[in-house]
Amino acid sequence: MSVSLWCEEVEDDRGQGQNDAPAQGHIRGSSQLRAAWDPTVSEHRVIQRLLHVEERYMPSMLYITLIQRDPERREELTKWALEVCCECGCDEAVFPLSVSLMDRFLSASLSIPVSPYCLAASCILIASKLTECDNVTADTLCAAAEYSFQSSNLREMERVILATLRWDTAAVTPQDFLPHFLASVEQRGEEDGGESEEGRLSTLRRHSDTLAAMCACDSRFLGAPPSLVAAASLNCALRGLGNKGPYQLALMSEALAELCQSDLAVLQCYSEMIEYTLRQRLRSGLQQGPMEKDEEVENERAGTPTDMREIDF
């Protein structure tokens, strides 16, 4: 009897568009291989375990309070980290994990190192090693920072971060909840008679990843649990697609609130915050870019873009 060990790995083409950027010698061009989604790992017990663990990786309230007083420096670092992750074609899990590592390190030390960009680059390096087979190299990150620090400085900062966090680096992020929430939404859509298409779910995931990345850059969402950010991002993505009626959207919002163990009013409040932040980002990008379609955008309801680069973070 023949036994097959084929694990249905597929090439991920989501980073192809990012690799079309001008070659600078430090952009990765190799495609990633990813195993197919396994529905057996998307049960309610998995979500419960993630909800139980996520509290351990929340930054301290003192750090959150200090950041709220002066959020510009953190937003500058997170935007730079997002730009580097996009240019390097990193997996979507690298950026939120790197931001989580940076927040936890600053929460533990309550002091910004001499080179903040070296800190952000070290967090990207650690996150890439955890989530990718072909991780970002130290030379790539030094080049992205225009060699404001050396590779030896990056390695030393990496050791400091790992020692401060006691090697507990596999933090829970909103991207960890999204596939499980999407699987639940798919089941709810089938119960309500809706279509369950792979393209629609892929679009929902892409939009939700975009909104969750936007929340990671915005300090106003710093104190929100990752599960709540993931549920609110998915809720906004469902609204933005506009292919569900009010009754179906209400049922899905209730299901998401139950999954993240939050009150429905809290979920709706964070969803409105995300939509408001999205409108601000889009308007800011339009004011800095071409102004041909100002009238159309003012009259158009805020939706969810399909690419993080469409939002001016």
Side-chain angles (χ1 to χ4, degrees), residues 2-304:
S2 62
V3 178
S4 175
L5 299 179
W6 179 252
C7 61
E8 298 183 5
E9 289 181 336
V10 295
E11 291 190 6
D12 190 357
D13 296 332
R14 281 173 298 176
Q16 295 291 331
Q18 297 172 347
N19 293 330
D20 294 338
Q24 300 179 3
H26 62 276
I27 307 294
R28 291 185 302 164
S30 60
S31 59
Q32 300 278 340
L33 292 180
R34 173 171 298 182
W37 169 251
D38 187 357
T40 59
V41 299
S42 182
E43 299 178 357
H44 189 65
R45 61 179 179 83
V46 179
I47 299 178
Q48 293 297 319
R49 178 60 180 171
L50 288 173
L51 289 171
H52 176 72
V53 174
E54 71 172 349
E55 299 178 358
R56 190 172 68 187
Y57 300 102
M58 294 290 294
S60 66
M61 290 303 301
L62 177 59
Y63 170 73
I64 295 174
T65 303
L66 294 175
I67 291 297
Q68 298 298 342
R69 295 178 181 177
D70 185 22
E72 287 78 13
R73 175 57 67 89
R74 179 185 179 274
E75 292 184 4
E76 179 183 351
L77 288 177
T78 54
K79 290 176 183 178
W80 181 82
L82 176 61
E83 181 180 352
V84 172
C85 290
C86 289
E87 289 181 353
C88 295
C90 295
D91 187 82
E92 66 272 5
V94 174
F95 170 68
L97 181 56
S98 64
V99 173
S100 175
L101 293 172
M102 183 180 67
D103 286 330
R104 291 174 57 209
F105 172 80
L106 294 176
S107 178
S109 60
L110 290 179
S111 61
I112 299 179
V114 177
S115 177
Y117 290 99
C118 184
L119 169 63
S122 299
C123 292
I124 294 175
L125 181 61
I126 297 173
S128 180
K129 289 180 178 179
L130 285 173
T131 58
E132 296 183 300
C133 297
D134 184 16
N135 63 280
V136 183
T137 63
D139 292 337
T140 298
L141 295 171
C142 292
E146 299 180 352
Y147 296 99
S148 59
F149 51 83
Q150 300 299 320
S151 177
S152 58
N153 305 126
L154 185 65
R155 299 294 187 185
E156 181 62 28
M157 189 73 241
E158 181 184 16
R159 286 191 287 268
V160 172
I161 294 173
L162 293 174
T164 303
L165 300 181
R166 298 186 179 183
W167 290 81
D168 188 7
T169 55
V172 177
T173 66
Q175 274 69 12
D176 294 323
F177 288 94
L178 283 176
H180 305 288
F181 288 172
L182 274 170
S184 179
V185 167
E186 180 184 10
Q187 295 176 358
R188 179 59 62 95
E190 292 176 352
E191 292 174 0
D192 296 335
E195 297 182 356
S196 176
E197 300 177 357
E198 183 178 355
R200 179 177 60 84
L201 292 177
S202 177
T203 302
L204 274 176
R205 175 64 187 270
R206 195 164 59 248
H207 290 186
S208 302
D209 281 329
T210 301
L211 295 175
M214 182 185 67
C215 294
C217 292
D218 199 314
S219 300
R220 288 173 291 186
F221 298 93
L222 185 57
S227 58
L228 182 57
V229 173
S233 300
L234 181 54
N235 193 35
C236 290
L238 288 167
R239 293 180 183 179
L241 288 181
N243 59 352
K244 298 290 184 181
Y247 178 70
Q248 290 178 318
L249 289 176
L251 288 179
M252 291 181 177
S253 297
E254 293 178 0
L256 289 172
E258 182 180 354
L259 287 172
C260 67
Q261 295 184 357
S262 176
D263 190 81
L264 179 59
V266 176
L267 176 63
Q268 297 291 0
C269 178
Y270 272 89
S271 300
E272 293 174 0
M273 287 176 59
I274 292 176
E275 290 180 348
Y276 175 74
T277 304
L278 177 61
R279 287 193 294 268
Q280 282 185 322
R281 303 289 185 181
L282 292 175
R283 288 175 181 173
S284 176
L286 287 172
Q287 290 175 359
Q288 297 176 4
M291 304 296 291
E292 293 89 357
K293 298 183 179 181
D294 283 349
E295 296 181 359
E296 296 181 7
V297 175
E298 288 295 331
N299 297 327
E300 184 180 0
R301 182 179 181 274
T304 52

